[in-house]
Amino acid sequence: FPLFIYTVIFIFKEIYIDIIRKREFRQINQRLTTLTLKKDKEQTPWQDLKPGDFVTLYNGDICPADIVVLNTSLAKGGGKICWVDTQGVEGFTSYDMKRAVQATRSVRNLLAFSGWLTYEPPNGNISRFKGFIKTDGSFYNEQLSIDNLILRGSVIKNTDL
């Protein structure tokens, strides 16, 4: 009989936790981010983002999805970088430097960018990313790594844009 009572209590506890978690996910996915469309910028819920969307993040913004850095406002050593706080991803405060893709960091209007990204499917390894970017008119693929990727939940730091 005690085992039965314990099992019932455990089941109700798990149901309660699932309800709370679902409510939290719904709130998170309703957060707004800046989506750049043609000449306009509009606020869009995280849940409406699609692969290929151009998202503009500012200092202090939480990254709404895994995003490849195409350009930033911070130049360092001939490249464009930004800093991210990965506490929301890794569980401890860690500032990581992310680099803009070389093929796009000098493009003034990213909406005029023409090319494509090829990357590995999502996986559980947050410390590895492999992909390629190819711009139209270019004869080579630029290799992408974890240095070009901002993970969902990371916070943009020390960068205006």
Side-chain angles (χ1 to χ4, degrees), residues 17-33:
I17 290 172
D18 285 346
I19 291 169
I20 297 297
R21 189 174 294 142
K22 184 176 180 180
R23 186 178 305 143
E24 289 173 354
F25 284 152
R26 191 176 311 121
Q27 289 173 346
I28 288 170
N29 285 327
Q30 289 298 320
R31 290 180 183 169
L32 299 177
T33 192

Side-chain angles (χ1 to χ4, degrees), residues 61-114:
D61 283 355
I62 301 172
C63 188
D66 294 348
I67 292 178
V68 173
V69 181
L70 298 178
N71 204 349
T72 73
S73 60
L74 183 60
K76 181 179 180 183
K80 297 278 191 110
I81 64 163
C82 68
W83 292 93
V84 296
D85 179 359
T86 59
Q87 181 178 7
V89 177
E90 298 172 336
F92 57 90
T93 299
S94 171
Y95 287 93
D96 293 340
M97 182 175 64
K98 301 297 180 177
R99 299 183 181 280
V101 175
Q102 188 172 358
T104 58
R105 65 182 176 206
S106 62
V107 176
R108 290 216 176 261
N109 182 4
L110 285 174
L111 294 176
F113 168 76
S114 182

Side-chain angles (χ1 to χ4, degrees), residues 1-11:
F1 188 72
L3 181 61
F4 175 74
I5 292 174
Y6 174 78
T7 304
V8 169
I9 291 171
F10 180 78
I11 289 171

Side-chain angles (χ1 to χ4, degrees), residues 29-47:
N29 285 327
Q30 289 298 320
R31 290 180 183 169
L32 299 177
T33 192
T34 305
L35 185 63
T36 305
L37 302 166
K38 298 186 182 175
K39 295 181 181 180
D40 299 325
K41 292 184 179 183
E42 71 176 37
Q43 295 294 307
T44 303
W46 286 15
Q47 67 188 13

